[in-house]
Amino acid sequence: MTSTNNLLDDLRAIVGRSHLITADRSTLRYRRGFRAAAGTALAVARPGSLVELWRVVKRLAAADVAIIVQAANTGLTGGSTPDARLTRPSVIISTMRLSGIHLINEGKQVISLPGTTLAQLEDKVRPLRREPHSVIGSSCFGASVIGGICNNSGGSLIQRGPAYTELSLFARIDESGALRLVNQLGIDLGVDDEDMLRRLEAGEFEAQPSNAPASAPNYAARVRAVDEATPARFNADPEHLHECSGSAGHLVVFAVRTDTFPQADGAATFYLGTNAPDELTTLRRAMLTELSRLPVSAEYMHRDAFDVADRYGRDTFLAIRTLGTKRLPALFALKARLDAAGEATGIRALSDRLLQGISRLLPDHLPARMRQWRDRYEHHLILKVEGESLAEVRRLLTVHAQTTSGAFFECDADEASRATLHRFVAAGAAIRYLAVNHARLSGLVALDVALPRNARTWVGPLRSDLKGAIEVVLHYGHFFCHVFHRDYLVAAGADPGTIKAKLLAALDEEGAEYPAEHNVGRQYRAKPALHQFYRLLDPTNRFNPGVGLTPVAPGWDDNDEIGDAE
């Protein structure tokens, strides 16, 4: 019997036969990212308890394999899927059977287990009139709480900053190759590894106060500093790299302790439009410096992004509206199985083709006033504010409208919900656009950019030397944080890698940072400080090797050739 067979037998004994997946067709949805090509994996293990997770990690640590821990696999840069450059076998550990939430201090803090999604956490604390770090966007697609922390993920909520905590329970492999469980939750769980994990999962512990941060500190002050020449937030910011926070899979995280936040009482949403982006710049600076309380969110969308989301995101929009976020992970799993079946018969993007055909039959999903604003204005802003700020914001918007060419309306509840959701289906719509129109496209360059807080130019014409190579640009983002997503659909015959290099060089000249909130994954090179952070966390390079285009060889072979992403 081969060593590989021994390993698979041992893993099967730990998680159960039905929860060790080895067939390529069945593992495809774990091996392929939302926007990333599929790598290879020896197996996918799906532990059903924290103790099983620990035993799986111990067994893999004793084998010569790369270990990739994955939650919902909703990331946009491929950071939780196998690296195509790997020469040693890899095993994926899916943690989605390990959901669980423990409330602390009347729900002002929570402990989340590895498979807990943002949507589940939102449901858990809603009766307490509290919210997690993010309540729309990644939560729509089933993203996990721990996944957000490990990637310093951003979000739409201006007052909260990136996902962050210094309170966690994790495993790491040290310099000697020994696997160690490290308890930084600020809670006494004992000293025996498996007993600690069992007690944590069962909630058999006394919550203890901690002075360590469980969310990003002082972010509101940072985003208000509109004259600073640096971004408000970005993934590799050294201030937000701490143990599990920003670890990007170089630790195995069993639990995180995070803050929750009061719900916005009496919130109202305003829909703004203009044909002059400078007018939105003026408004942003005024609101960040003059308002007594920051808005809840300020989501930007260009008309082209509006149109593509309208046409290619309609089915996703209506699925979320009718089914809610809870069923989306199951729908994405079904979609992945359908794509695997299609590829086995030579049909590319089968699910996207079918869904796009269905979407053409679906009813109009956007309010009449939004469509009127789409026809009148190129630039759209969806501004949400809390009730106590309403009078102040209404006055400022009224004065702004009187002195500019733009206009706004105050949304009713249905318009507010639809406008926000329309904005957040844009990222998936770009992928659908590519899948359906792949015959005339060569790829998608998706940039995730944090501009300096003092930048006054944030949208401009496409470079003249790229105009013939780009079919459409989708521009949307978190406007007050100056974090933007720019999706470039590349025409057939043009090289996406060359185009990406030119775009990033221009961003370097602007003083931008990237990625801003989706993390480096397999598409961005980790800058030296982030590279060194990964190396300190995981000195033998056993967990998620190659993320950030770092070396894939064991022991951090710095002579390894690091190429650009496709």
PDB file of all heavy atoms in Angstrom, residues 267-272 367 369-370 373 381-384 390 394 397 408-420:
ATOM      1  N   ALA A 267     -32.581  54.373   9.809  1.00  0.00           N
ATOM      2  CA  ALA A 267     -31.715  54.705   8.674  1.00  0.00           C
ATOM      3  C   ALA A 267     -32.535  55.072   7.445  1.00  0.00           C
ATOM      4  O   ALA A 267     -33.647  54.593   7.245  1.00  0.00           O
ATOM      5  CB  ALA A 267     -30.791  53.538   8.356  1.00  0.00           C
ATOM      6  N   ALA A 268     -31.962  55.942   6.638  1.00  0.00           N
ATOM      7  CA  ALA A 268     -32.557  56.335   5.362  1.00  0.00           C
ATOM      8  C   ALA A 268     -31.493  56.238   4.278  1.00  0.00           C
ATOM      9  O   ALA A 268     -30.292  56.371   4.549  1.00  0.00           O
ATOM     10  CB  ALA A 268     -33.112  57.749   5.430  1.00  0.00           C
ATOM     11  N   THR A 269     -31.933  55.999   3.049  1.00  0.00           N
ATOM     12  CA  THR A 269     -31.023  55.852   1.919  1.00  0.00           C
ATOM     13  C   THR A 269     -31.349  56.892   0.850  1.00  0.00           C
ATOM     14  O   THR A 269     -32.517  57.086   0.497  1.00  0.00           O
ATOM     15  CB  THR A 269     -31.124  54.436   1.310  1.00  0.00           C
ATOM     16  OG1 THR A 269     -30.744  53.479   2.309  1.00  0.00           O
ATOM     17  CG2 THR A 269     -30.215  54.289   0.104  1.00  0.00           C
ATOM     18  N   PHE A 270     -30.308  57.537   0.346  1.00  0.00           N
ATOM     19  CA  PHE A 270     -30.449  58.541  -0.705  1.00  0.00           C
ATOM     20  C   PHE A 270     -29.753  58.027  -1.964  1.00  0.00           C
ATOM     21  O   PHE A 270     -28.670  57.431  -1.888  1.00  0.00           O
ATOM     22  CB  PHE A 270     -29.817  59.864  -0.277  1.00  0.00           C
ATOM     23  CG  PHE A 270     -30.437  60.461   0.953  1.00  0.00           C
ATOM     24  CD1 PHE A 270     -29.965  60.128   2.222  1.00  0.00           C
ATOM     25  CD2 PHE A 270     -31.497  61.354   0.861  1.00  0.00           C
ATOM     26  CE1 PHE A 270     -30.529  60.657   3.357  1.00  0.00           C
ATOM     27  CE2 PHE A 270     -32.068  61.899   1.993  1.00  0.00           C
ATOM     28  CZ  PHE A 270     -31.591  61.554   3.253  1.00  0.00           C
ATOM     29  N   TYR A 271     -30.379  58.281  -3.111  1.00  0.00           N
ATOM     30  CA  TYR A 271     -29.806  57.867  -4.399  1.00  0.00           C
ATOM     31  C   TYR A 271     -29.408  59.124  -5.152  1.00  0.00           C
ATOM     32  O   TYR A 271     -30.243  59.962  -5.471  1.00  0.00           O
ATOM     33  CB  TYR A 271     -30.821  57.058  -5.202  1.00  0.00           C
ATOM     34  CG  TYR A 271     -30.206  56.218  -6.293  1.00  0.00           C
ATOM     35  CD1 TYR A 271     -29.962  54.865  -6.089  1.00  0.00           C
ATOM     36  CD2 TYR A 271     -29.860  56.773  -7.518  1.00  0.00           C
ATOM     37  CE1 TYR A 271     -29.388  54.075  -7.081  1.00  0.00           C
ATOM     38  CE2 TYR A 271     -29.279  56.003  -8.515  1.00  0.00           C
ATOM     39  CZ  TYR A 271     -29.053  54.653  -8.297  1.00  0.00           C
ATOM     40  OH  TYR A 271     -28.475  53.882  -9.284  1.00  0.00           O
ATOM     41  N   LEU A 272     -28.102  59.255  -5.423  1.00  0.00           N
ATOM     42  CA  LEU A 272     -27.563  60.455  -6.053  1.00  0.00           C
ATOM     43  C   LEU A 272     -27.100  60.141  -7.467  1.00  0.00           C
ATOM     44  O   LEU A 272     -26.651  59.022  -7.754  1.00  0.00           O
ATOM     45  CB  LEU A 272     -26.376  61.001  -5.264  1.00  0.00           C
ATOM     46  CG  LEU A 272     -26.623  61.663  -3.912  1.00  0.00           C
ATOM     47  CD1 LEU A 272     -27.007  60.663  -2.843  1.00  0.00           C
ATOM     48  CD2 LEU A 272     -25.369  62.413  -3.467  1.00  0.00           C
ATOM     49  N   PRO A 367     -36.429  49.664  -9.593  1.00  0.00           N
ATOM     50  CA  PRO A 367     -37.462  50.695  -9.495  1.00  0.00           C
ATOM     51  C   PRO A 367     -37.360  51.718 -10.628  1.00  0.00           C
ATOM     52  O   PRO A 367     -36.280  51.972 -11.180  1.00  0.00           O
ATOM     53  CB  PRO A 367     -37.174  51.358  -8.142  1.00  0.00           C
ATOM     54  CG  PRO A 367     -36.367  50.369  -7.382  1.00  0.00           C
ATOM     55  CD  PRO A 367     -35.560  49.634  -8.399  1.00  0.00           C
ATOM     56  N   ARG A 369     -37.514  54.960 -10.595  1.00  0.00           N
ATOM     57  CA  ARG A 369     -36.655  56.131 -10.356  1.00  0.00           C
ATOM     58  C   ARG A 369     -35.183  55.793 -10.567  1.00  0.00           C
ATOM     59  O   ARG A 369     -34.414  56.641 -11.035  1.00  0.00           O
ATOM     60  CB  ARG A 369     -36.892  56.693  -8.946  1.00  0.00           C
ATOM     61  CG  ARG A 369     -38.218  57.431  -8.832  1.00  0.00           C
ATOM     62  CD  ARG A 369     -38.217  58.401  -7.659  1.00  0.00           C
ATOM     63  NE  ARG A 369     -38.277  57.728  -6.364  1.00  0.00           N
ATOM     64  CZ  ARG A 369     -38.358  58.377  -5.203  1.00  0.00           C
ATOM     65  NH1 ARG A 369     -38.386  59.718  -5.170  1.00  0.00           N
ATOM     66  NH2 ARG A 369     -38.429  57.719  -4.059  1.00  0.00           N
ATOM     67  N   MET A 370     -34.781  54.578 -10.246  1.00  0.00           N
ATOM     68  CA  MET A 370     -33.398  54.185 -10.524  1.00  0.00           C
ATOM     69  C   MET A 370     -33.126  54.176 -12.023  1.00  0.00           C
ATOM     70  O   MET A 370     -32.061  54.612 -12.481  1.00  0.00           O
ATOM     71  CB  MET A 370     -33.102  52.811  -9.920  1.00  0.00           C
ATOM     72  CG  MET A 370     -32.815  52.814  -8.434  1.00  0.00           C
ATOM     73  SD  MET A 370     -32.428  51.155  -7.813  1.00  0.00           S
ATOM     74  CE  MET A 370     -30.927  50.775  -8.718  1.00  0.00           C
ATOM     75  N   TRP A 373     -32.695  57.696 -13.242  1.00  0.00           N
ATOM     76  CA  TRP A 373     -31.367  58.215 -12.883  1.00  0.00           C
ATOM     77  C   TRP A 373     -30.281  57.586 -13.763  1.00  0.00           C
ATOM     78  O   TRP A 373     -29.320  58.248 -14.124  1.00  0.00           O
ATOM     79  CB  TRP A 373     -31.088  57.948 -11.397  1.00  0.00           C
ATOM     80  CG  TRP A 373     -31.140  59.188 -10.545  1.00  0.00           C
ATOM     81  CD1 TRP A 373     -30.142  59.694  -9.768  1.00  0.00           C
ATOM     82  CD2 TRP A 373     -32.245  60.080 -10.364  1.00  0.00           C
ATOM     83  NE1 TRP A 373     -30.554  60.835  -9.123  1.00  0.00           N
ATOM     84  CE2 TRP A 373     -31.840  61.099  -9.465  1.00  0.00           C
ATOM     85  CE3 TRP A 373     -33.558  60.117 -10.868  1.00  0.00           C
ATOM     86  CZ2 TRP A 373     -32.682  62.147  -9.074  1.00  0.00           C
ATOM     87  CZ3 TRP A 373     -34.390  61.157 -10.472  1.00  0.00           C
ATOM     88  CH2 TRP A 373     -33.942  62.149  -9.598  1.00  0.00           C
ATOM     89  N   LEU A 381     -24.437  57.241  -6.737  1.00  0.00           N
ATOM     90  CA  LEU A 381     -23.994  57.045  -5.357  1.00  0.00           C
ATOM     91  C   LEU A 381     -25.192  56.686  -4.504  1.00  0.00           C
ATOM     92  O   LEU A 381     -26.218  57.388  -4.524  1.00  0.00           O
ATOM     93  CB  LEU A 381     -23.316  58.303  -4.811  1.00  0.00           C
ATOM     94  CG  LEU A 381     -22.642  58.144  -3.439  1.00  0.00           C
ATOM     95  CD1 LEU A 381     -21.406  57.248  -3.555  1.00  0.00           C
ATOM     96  CD2 LEU A 381     -22.271  59.503  -2.854  1.00  0.00           C
ATOM     97  N   ILE A 382     -25.065  55.597  -3.758  1.00  0.00           N
ATOM     98  CA  ILE A 382     -26.128  55.133  -2.849  1.00  0.00           C
ATOM     99  C   ILE A 382     -25.652  55.430  -1.435  1.00  0.00           C
ATOM    100  O   ILE A 382     -24.725  54.789  -0.923  1.00  0.00           O
ATOM    101  CB  ILE A 382     -26.388  53.628  -3.039  1.00  0.00           C
ATOM    102  CG1 ILE A 382     -26.684  53.319  -4.501  1.00  0.00           C
ATOM    103  CG2 ILE A 382     -27.551  53.174  -2.159  1.00  0.00           C
ATOM    104  CD1 ILE A 382     -26.538  51.845  -4.845  1.00  0.00           C
ATOM    105  N   LEU A 383     -26.275  56.400  -0.797  1.00  0.00           N
ATOM    106  CA  LEU A 383     -25.813  56.916   0.492  1.00  0.00           C
ATOM    107  C   LEU A 383     -26.811  56.530   1.581  1.00  0.00           C
ATOM    108  O   LEU A 383     -27.984  56.902   1.533  1.00  0.00           O
ATOM    109  CB  LEU A 383     -25.689  58.447   0.420  1.00  0.00           C
ATOM    110  CG  LEU A 383     -25.222  59.156   1.679  1.00  0.00           C
ATOM    111  CD1 LEU A 383     -23.766  58.836   1.973  1.00  0.00           C
ATOM    112  CD2 LEU A 383     -25.417  60.671   1.525  1.00  0.00           C
ATOM    113  N   LYS A 384     -26.334  55.783   2.587  1.00  0.00           N
ATOM    114  CA  LYS A 384     -27.180  55.375   3.701  1.00  0.00           C
ATOM    115  C   LYS A 384     -26.709  56.071   4.968  1.00  0.00           C
ATOM    116  O   LYS A 384     -25.508  56.069   5.272  1.00  0.00           O
ATOM    117  CB  LYS A 384     -27.134  53.858   3.890  1.00  0.00           C
ATOM    118  CG  LYS A 384     -28.025  53.339   5.013  1.00  0.00           C
ATOM    119  CD  LYS A 384     -27.964  51.811   5.087  1.00  0.00           C
ATOM    120  CE  LYS A 384     -28.845  51.279   6.219  1.00  0.00           C
ATOM    121  NZ  LYS A 384     -28.789  49.797   6.296  1.00  0.00           N
ATOM    122  N   LEU A 390     -30.095  62.364   9.908  1.00  0.00           N
ATOM    123  CA  LEU A 390     -30.925  62.643   8.739  1.00  0.00           C
ATOM    124  C   LEU A 390     -31.064  64.134   8.456  1.00  0.00           C
ATOM    125  O   LEU A 390     -30.883  64.581   7.312  1.00  0.00           O
ATOM    126  CB  LEU A 390     -32.312  62.014   8.906  1.00  0.00           C
ATOM    127  CG  LEU A 390     -32.432  60.551   8.481  1.00  0.00           C
ATOM    128  CD1 LEU A 390     -33.822  60.017   8.765  1.00  0.00           C
ATOM    129  CD2 LEU A 390     -32.103  60.413   7.008  1.00  0.00           C
ATOM    130  N   ARG A 394     -29.737  65.795   5.048  1.00  0.00           N
ATOM    131  CA  ARG A 394     -30.693  66.392   4.106  1.00  0.00           C
ATOM    132  C   ARG A 394     -30.314  67.828   3.780  1.00  0.00           C
ATOM    133  O   ARG A 394     -30.395  68.252   2.619  1.00  0.00           O
ATOM    134  CB  ARG A 394     -32.111  66.339   4.682  1.00  0.00           C
ATOM    135  CG  ARG A 394     -32.762  64.960   4.639  1.00  0.00           C
ATOM    136  CD  ARG A 394     -34.253  65.052   4.909  1.00  0.00           C
ATOM    137  NE  ARG A 394     -34.872  63.742   4.992  1.00  0.00           N
ATOM    138  CZ  ARG A 394     -35.276  63.168   6.116  1.00  0.00           C
ATOM    139  NH1 ARG A 394     -35.107  63.803   7.284  1.00  0.00           N
ATOM    140  NH2 ARG A 394     -35.828  61.976   6.104  1.00  0.00           N
ATOM    141  N   LEU A 397     -27.204  67.751   1.480  1.00  0.00           N
ATOM    142  CA  LEU A 397     -27.534  67.306   0.127  1.00  0.00           C
ATOM    143  C   LEU A 397     -28.340  68.343  -0.631  1.00  0.00           C
ATOM    144  O   LEU A 397     -28.155  68.531  -1.840  1.00  0.00           O
ATOM    145  CB  LEU A 397     -28.313  65.982   0.189  1.00  0.00           C
ATOM    146  CG  LEU A 397     -27.530  64.726   0.568  1.00  0.00           C
ATOM    147  CD1 LEU A 397     -28.461  63.524   0.650  1.00  0.00           C
ATOM    148  CD2 LEU A 397     -26.416  64.456  -0.427  1.00  0.00           C
ATOM    149  N   PHE A 408     -30.703  64.185  -6.418  1.00  0.00           N
ATOM    150  CA  PHE A 408     -30.864  63.025  -5.551  1.00  0.00           C
ATOM    151  C   PHE A 408     -32.326  62.826  -5.239  1.00  0.00           C
ATOM    152  O   PHE A 408     -33.150  63.726  -5.418  1.00  0.00           O
ATOM    153  CB  PHE A 408     -30.066  63.199  -4.253  1.00  0.00           C
ATOM    154  CG  PHE A 408     -30.669  64.178  -3.284  1.00  0.00           C
ATOM    155  CD1 PHE A 408     -31.523  63.743  -2.267  1.00  0.00           C
ATOM    156  CD2 PHE A 408     -30.385  65.539  -3.368  1.00  0.00           C
ATOM    157  CE1 PHE A 408     -32.078  64.632  -1.372  1.00  0.00           C
ATOM    158  CE2 PHE A 408     -30.934  66.440  -2.467  1.00  0.00           C
ATOM    159  CZ  PHE A 408     -31.787  65.990  -1.466  1.00  0.00           C
ATOM    160  N   PHE A 409     -32.658  61.615  -4.809  1.00  0.00           N
ATOM    161  CA  PHE A 409     -33.979  61.368  -4.232  1.00  0.00           C
ATOM    162  C   PHE A 409     -33.801  60.487  -3.007  1.00  0.00           C
ATOM    163  O   PHE A 409     -32.827  59.740  -2.896  1.00  0.00           O
ATOM    164  CB  PHE A 409     -34.946  60.740  -5.238  1.00  0.00           C
ATOM    165  CG  PHE A 409     -34.565  59.369  -5.741  1.00  0.00           C
ATOM    166  CD1 PHE A 409     -34.911  58.213  -5.040  1.00  0.00           C
ATOM    167  CD2 PHE A 409     -33.880  59.219  -6.947  1.00  0.00           C
ATOM    168  CE1 PHE A 409     -34.573  56.950  -5.513  1.00  0.00           C
ATOM    169  CE2 PHE A 409     -33.541  57.959  -7.431  1.00  0.00           C
ATOM    170  CZ  PHE A 409     -33.890  56.825  -6.715  1.00  0.00           C
ATOM    171  N   GLU A 410     -34.737  60.590  -2.084  1.00  0.00           N
ATOM    172  CA  GLU A 410     -34.718  59.759  -0.885  1.00  0.00           C
ATOM    173  C   GLU A 410     -35.518  58.504  -1.166  1.00  0.00           C
ATOM    174  O   GLU A 410     -36.683  58.565  -1.571  1.00  0.00           O
ATOM    175  CB  GLU A 410     -35.283  60.508   0.315  1.00  0.00           C
ATOM    176  CG  GLU A 410     -35.123  59.750   1.618  1.00  0.00           C
ATOM    177  CD  GLU A 410     -35.420  60.604   2.846  1.00  0.00           C
ATOM    178  OE1 GLU A 410     -35.431  61.852   2.725  1.00  0.00           O
ATOM    179  OE2 GLU A 410     -35.636  60.024   3.937  1.00  0.00           O
ATOM    180  N   CYS A 411     -34.888  57.347  -0.973  1.00  0.00           N
ATOM    181  CA  CYS A 411     -35.496  56.068  -1.322  1.00  0.00           C
ATOM    182  C   CYS A 411     -36.564  55.664  -0.305  1.00  0.00           C
ATOM    183  O   CYS A 411     -36.420  55.924   0.909  1.00  0.00           O
ATOM    184  CB  CYS A 411     -34.439  54.973  -1.356  1.00  0.00           C
ATOM    185  SG  CYS A 411     -33.117  55.219  -2.549  1.00  0.00           S
ATOM    186  N   ASP A 412     -37.604  55.012  -0.787  1.00  0.00           N
ATOM    187  CA  ASP A 412     -38.464  54.293   0.145  1.00  0.00           C
ATOM    188  C   ASP A 412     -37.769  52.973   0.489  1.00  0.00           C
ATOM    189  O   ASP A 412     -36.694  52.663  -0.042  1.00  0.00           O
ATOM    190  CB  ASP A 412     -39.866  54.095  -0.421  1.00  0.00           C
ATOM    191  CG  ASP A 412     -39.905  53.267  -1.707  1.00  0.00           C
ATOM    192  OD1 ASP A 412     -39.047  52.376  -1.886  1.00  0.00           O
ATOM    193  OD2 ASP A 412     -40.806  53.505  -2.545  1.00  0.00           O
ATOM    194  N   ALA A 413     -38.371  52.187   1.377  1.00  0.00           N
ATOM    195  CA  ALA A 413     -37.689  50.979   1.870  1.00  0.00           C
ATOM    196  C   ALA A 413     -37.384  50.004   0.740  1.00  0.00           C
ATOM    197  O   ALA A 413     -36.289  49.407   0.686  1.00  0.00           O
ATOM    198  CB  ALA A 413     -38.541  50.306   2.940  1.00  0.00           C
ATOM    199  N   ASP A 414     -38.307  49.834  -0.190  1.00  0.00           N
ATOM    200  CA  ASP A 414     -38.098  48.894  -1.283  1.00  0.00           C
ATOM    201  C   ASP A 414     -37.013  49.395  -2.225  1.00  0.00           C
ATOM    202  O   ASP A 414     -36.146  48.618  -2.657  1.00  0.00           O
ATOM    203  CB  ASP A 414     -39.402  48.674  -2.052  1.00  0.00           C
ATOM    204  CG  ASP A 414     -39.256  47.634  -3.149  1.00  0.00           C
ATOM    205  OD1 ASP A 414     -39.016  46.456  -2.816  1.00  0.00           O
ATOM    206  OD2 ASP A 414     -39.360  48.005  -4.338  1.00  0.00           O
ATOM    207  N   GLU A 415     -37.022  50.655  -2.554  1.00  0.00           N
ATOM    208  CA  GLU A 415     -35.985  51.223  -3.415  1.00  0.00           C
ATOM    209  C   GLU A 415     -34.608  51.102  -2.776  1.00  0.00           C
ATOM    210  O   GLU A 415     -33.622  50.780  -3.449  1.00  0.00           O
ATOM    211  CB  GLU A 415     -36.287  52.696  -3.706  1.00  0.00           C
ATOM    212  CG  GLU A 415     -37.456  52.929  -4.643  1.00  0.00           C
ATOM    213  CD  GLU A 415     -37.827  54.396  -4.743  1.00  0.00           C
ATOM    214  OE1 GLU A 415     -37.698  55.107  -3.728  1.00  0.00           O
ATOM    215  OE2 GLU A 415     -38.249  54.831  -5.837  1.00  0.00           O
ATOM    216  N   ALA A 416     -34.530  51.349  -1.473  1.00  0.00           N
ATOM    217  CA  ALA A 416     -33.248  51.263  -0.779  1.00  0.00           C
ATOM    218  C   ALA A 416     -32.688  49.844  -0.843  1.00  0.00           C
ATOM    219  O   ALA A 416     -31.504  49.630  -1.123  1.00  0.00           O
ATOM    220  CB  ALA A 416     -33.406  51.702   0.671  1.00  0.00           C
ATOM    221  N   SER A 417     -33.545  48.862  -0.593  1.00  0.00           N
ATOM    222  CA  SER A 417     -33.102  47.475  -0.620  1.00  0.00           C
ATOM    223  C   SER A 417     -32.648  47.069  -2.016  1.00  0.00           C
ATOM    224  O   SER A 417     -31.596  46.436  -2.190  1.00  0.00           O
ATOM    225  CB  SER A 417     -34.259  46.577  -0.155  1.00  0.00           C
ATOM    226  OG  SER A 417     -33.935  45.214  -0.325  1.00  0.00           O
ATOM    227  N   ARG A 418     -33.404  47.448  -3.025  1.00  0.00           N
ATOM    228  CA  ARG A 418     -33.068  47.062  -4.393  1.00  0.00           C
ATOM    229  C   ARG A 418     -31.823  47.784  -4.898  1.00  0.00           C
ATOM    230  O   ARG A 418     -30.988  47.198  -5.605  1.00  0.00           O
ATOM    231  CB  ARG A 418     -34.259  47.312  -5.318  1.00  0.00           C
ATOM    232  CG  ARG A 418     -35.431  46.361  -5.072  1.00  0.00           C
ATOM    233  CD  ARG A 418     -36.634  46.697  -5.948  1.00  0.00           C
ATOM    234  NE  ARG A 418     -37.759  45.840  -5.625  1.00  0.00           N
ATOM    235  CZ  ARG A 418     -38.020  44.659  -6.212  1.00  0.00           C
ATOM    236  NH1 ARG A 418     -37.212  44.219  -7.169  1.00  0.00           N
ATOM    237  NH2 ARG A 418     -39.067  43.945  -5.858  1.00  0.00           N
ATOM    238  N   ALA A 419     -31.671  49.038  -4.561  1.00  0.00           N
ATOM    239  CA  ALA A 419     -30.489  49.783  -4.994  1.00  0.00           C
ATOM    240  C   ALA A 419     -29.221  49.176  -4.409  1.00  0.00           C
ATOM    241  O   ALA A 419     -28.209  48.992  -5.115  1.00  0.00           O
ATOM    242  CB  ALA A 419     -30.612  51.247  -4.585  1.00  0.00           C
ATOM    243  N   THR A 420     -29.251  48.845  -3.138  1.00  0.00           N
ATOM    244  CA  THR A 420     -28.079  48.272  -2.475  1.00  0.00           C
ATOM    245  C   THR A 420     -27.734  46.914  -3.055  1.00  0.00           C
ATOM    246  O   THR A 420     -26.557  46.612  -3.333  1.00  0.00           O
ATOM    247  CB  THR A 420     -28.328  48.157  -0.970  1.00  0.00           C
ATOM    248  OG1 THR A 420     -28.640  49.450  -0.439  1.00  0.00           O
ATOM    249  CG2 THR A 420     -27.113  47.613  -0.249  1.00  0.00           C
TER     250      THR A 420
END
